[in-house]
Amino acid sequence: MARTGMSPALRKGPANRPKRSLDETRAIWLEAFRRVRAETERRASHLSAEDQIVQSMADASPAKWHRAHVTWFFEQFLLVPHDAAYRVFDERFPFLFNSYYVAAGPRHARPQRGLITRPNGAEVAAYRAHVDAAVERLMARVPAEEADSVFTIVEIGLHHEQQHQELLLTDILHAFAQNPTDPVYDPKWQPPRMTLGPRGYVDVPAGVHAIGHDGDGFCFDNEMPPHDELIPRVRIARHLVTNADWLEFISAGGYTTPSLWLSDGWTTVQNESWQAPGYWRQKDGAWHAVTLGGLRPVDPAAPVQHVSYYEADAFARFAGKHLPSEMEWETAARHDIIADAFGIAWQWTRSAYLPYPGYRAVEGALGEYNGKFMVSQMVLRGSSLATPEGHERVSYRNFFYPPTRWQFSGLRLAEFI
Ligand SMILES: [Fe+2]
């Protein structure tokens, strides 16, 4: 979710759904719009004004910026083209809150988002309210002949905002991890429970399988087109790799054994002095980890989080196993043979983030959502504890650069037969 992207190719908007009256369609999208917009504010409500300004690294964005950027998205891609009466809230905001859409105009440098103390939080709240009111007005009044295109963009905007809801949490967690006083995002936060049951490996059905989005619901363009892939004889771990597994890796010298690592990974281990997953700290002689609930003892039974692709790859080598390909993962998930595919940790695969056969990004600014990032990144599948409810799906392709570990990223293993 990098960052976010999608395109209106994103097909299968409301027009392709079961036939509803226009009034029913308006009501459905009004409810969805209010629900998703409110969830962003709920997540931000745990943060002070100071929390919402900070940018702890170039890859992370301030919470205030996320709240404004997702609002700009509706303004830029929905209101400006589809509401002739709409007036931009502030002519300076598009420059500040455009992320990476070159076709949408020039933009502020990403690493300097944390320097934007003005507009302040109240002004961003007013921006959100202004755009919310305009979107609701548009949805209530759009004539039938324009309804499909309007509600398709509303749908894209909501999925985009949900991606930023996850980033809002991962980004503030990274900021809090830089603070020696161990700030707590939510004192009541509890990690999701892992599915119990036998560990071990299960056979992925070998042969030709359909991969990619084939349903009626929403998808991003990178999940298209659906196509056939040949799945080899492979077994996949029923469960995610745990902290106990990772403690074995550490104590066996995993972080000090160059033969376990890709060359770029070993260089990163050296440069970053990695000795454990992201956010792990030694305290009173025991490993602790920075979580949304603050600094807590590492639970050996919980899935490992905040590991990079390089670490996932090294661990698989250490274990004498492999990472699954994204196609093997999707086939296993479609056959419902793996536990905790969703809702705990994104799972690194050994697949490079590449276009599916025949993929083309759509024309225009929204075509920049996914396609232009299809180089040098690796695919993660599933979803995480920070993924908003209802946002995950079996064909979803998340992608990050191999050293990345501020996301809720873990792994499951595979073995070839
Ligand atoms: Fe975005």
Side-chain angles (χ1 to χ4, degrees):
M1 43 201 75
R3 5 26 42 201
T4 67
M6 76 213 151
S7 90
L10 294 279
R11 34 163 265 140
K12 311 247 175 177
N16 303 47
R17 305 281 168 70
K19 259 310 183 207
R20 296 190 187 100
S21 74
L22 183 54
D23 281 345
E24 286 172 318
T25 301
R26 294 187 207 277
I28 286 167
W29 287 113
L30 177 62
E31 188 280 328
F33 182 76
R34 288 179 173 171
R35 177 166 38 81
V36 172
R37 296 284 283 171
E39 174 62 12
T40 302
E41 294 301 287
R42 190 193 68 76
R43 291 185 181 215
S45 68
H46 292 276
L47 304 175
S48 70
E50 293 84 353
D51 292 334
Q52 294 202 36
I53 295 170
V54 71
Q55 180 178 29
S56 54
M57 64 169 170
D59 282 343
S61 298
K64 187 180 73 177
W65 185 89
H66 284 300
R67 293 172 58 216
H69 163 71
V70 293
T71 304
W72 165 81
F73 193 96
F74 282 109
E75 182 176 72
Q76 173 73 28
F77 296 120
L78 179 67
L79 296 173
V80 169
H82 290 283
D83 182 353
Y86 179 74
R87 292 292 168 264
V88 168
F89 179 76
D90 187 316
E91 296 289 348
R92 301 167 300 177
F93 283 13
F95 183 83
L96 293 176
F97 301 126
N98 177 358
S99 52
Y100 55 63
Y101 297 89
V102 176
R107 70 218 66 83
H108 187 62
R110 177 175 183 152
Q112 294 172 17
R113 289 174 185 165
L115 304 180
I116 306 301
T117 58
R118 313 264 179 106
N120 64 24
E123 290 166 314
V124 167
Y127 182 35
R128 286 182 65 89
H130 174 86
V131 168
D132 283 349
V135 171
E136 293 196 9
R137 224 168 23 242
L138 176 62
M139 290 195 294
R141 295 177 187 170
V142 62
E145 61 274 18
E146 287 179 48
D148 282 355
S149 52
V150 161
F151 289 119
T152 295
I153 302 293
V154 169
E155 183 170 42
I156 293 170
L158 294 179
H159 285 270
H160 171 253
E161 184 146 348
Q162 287 185 310
Q163 291 185 312
H164 280 276
Q165 288 168 358
E166 176 149 3
L167 293 172
L168 190 153
L169 293 187
T170 59
D171 293 359
I172 198 63
L173 189 64
H174 186 269
F176 283 176
Q178 317 309 312
N179 186 329
T181 66
D182 304 327
V184 175
Y185 169 76
D186 177 4
K188 296 193 189 124
W189 180 83
Q190 290 297 330
R193 288 188 178 275
M194 249 177 106
T195 302
L196 300 174
R199 288 169 63 91
Y201 290 77
V202 286
D203 289 354
V204 181
V208 174
H209 290 271
I211 297 296
H213 188 78
D214 60 356
D216 284 335
F218 177 87
C219 74
F220 291 122
D221 60 349
N222 61 4
E223 299 160 55
M224 298 282 289
H227 62 284
D228 288 341
E229 293 275 355
L230 178 62
I231 304 300
R233 285 164 51 84
V234 64
R235 291 160 62 80
I236 192 165
R238 206 188 297 268
H239 287 89
L240 303 174
V241 168
T242 65
N243 289 327
D245 299 328
W246 210 269
L247 287 162
E248 271 183 46
F249 176 67
I250 294 172
S251 57
Y255 282 94
T256 56
T257 307
S259 58
L260 292 174
W261 295 80
L262 294 167
S263 176
D264 287 353
W266 183 246
T267 300
T268 307
V269 168
Q270 302 297 297
N271 289 345
E272 303 295 326
S273 302
W274 285 350
Q275 300 178 357
Y279 306 154
W280 281 33
R281 312 262 188 277
Q282 281 281 357
K283 183 180 171 191
D284 304 327
W287 283 114
H288 288 63
V290 176
T291 72
L292 292 170
L295 190 68
R296 293 186 179 177
V298 166
D299 174 5
V304 69
Q305 296 272 19
H306 304 297
V307 293
S308 62
Y309 175 80
Y310 293 141
E311 289 163 292
D313 173 81
F315 180 88
R317 195 166 293 106
F318 165 77
K321 309 294 185 188
H322 302 267
L323 297 176
S325 72
E326 62 168 321
M327 292 77 181
E328 292 157 9
W329 188 100
E330 183 171 325
T331 302
R334 286 186 185 280
H335 286 80
D336 201 20
I337 58 175
I338 51 176
D340 302 326
F342 301 101
I344 297 182
W346 292 100
Q347 297 136 62
W348 287 107
T349 72
R350 67 174 193 278
S351 299
Y353 180 49
L354 294 170
Y356 283 168
Y359 167 84
R360 289 274 183 225
V362 293
E363 307 248 327
L366 278 175
E368 298 183 47
Y369 205 119
N370 282 312
K372 71 182 188 181
F373 300 109
M374 290 177 173
V375 66
S376 305
Q377 307 202 56
M378 301 302 287
V379 172
L380 302 95
R381 289 303 199 102
S383 67
S384 86
L385 58 88
T387 308
E389 191 179 339
H391 188 71
E392 73 281 349
R393 60 187 165 270
V394 73
S395 58
Y396 201 109
R397 306 175 78 200
N398 201 352
F399 50 94
F400 280 97
Y401 291 101
T404 302
R405 61 181 198 170
W406 95 104
Q407 296 300 302
F408 292 98
S409 49
L411 68 154
R412 77 174 68 235
L413 298 174
E415 62 180 14
F416 290 98
I417 306 166

